[in-house]
Amino acid sequence: MEKININKDRCVGCGMCVHAHPEYLVFDEMGQAEPIGKEVTSEDKKDILETINSCPTEAITIIEE
Ligand code: SF4
């Protein structure tokens, strides 16, 4: 199944993705985006792909698990 992955070496904690997708992402203790492990639904995928393209550091990907 497809899940959101965050590259913590890149994430600067701007919060854009967390606020756009609170059902998928939270902040970790360092203030970086943290996926909660929810499967990406077909209904949400288009919006998530837009968020991926908007991340200022290209830290977000969708991975197959
Ligand atoms: S949009 Fe990118 S840089 Fe901002 S919190 Fe999300 S992953 Fe981190």
Side-chain angles (χ1 to χ4, degrees):
M1 67 171 126
E2 291 186 317
K3 291 183 176 181
I4 295 177
N5 184 67
I6 302 292
N7 182 339
K8 297 294 182 87
D9 291 334
R10 286 176 169 261
C11 175
V12 293
C14 76
M16 183 273 292
C17 64
V18 179
H19 293 299
H21 306 286
E23 69 276 35
Y24 288 91
L25 294 158
V26 295
F27 287 111
D28 68 12
E29 67 279 0
M30 301 295 287
Q32 293 179 300
E34 173 80 28
I36 64 168
K38 176 176 155 69
E39 181 177 6
V40 173
T41 65
S42 52
E43 300 82 53
D44 291 340
K45 190 167 182 180
K46 182 171 173 287
D47 284 348
I48 290 172
L49 289 173
E50 286 180 9
T51 296
I52 286 173
N53 287 328
S54 300
C55 171
T57 60
E58 300 182 356
I60 315 168
T61 51
I62 291 177
I63 58 169
E64 183 72 35
E65 267 193 2

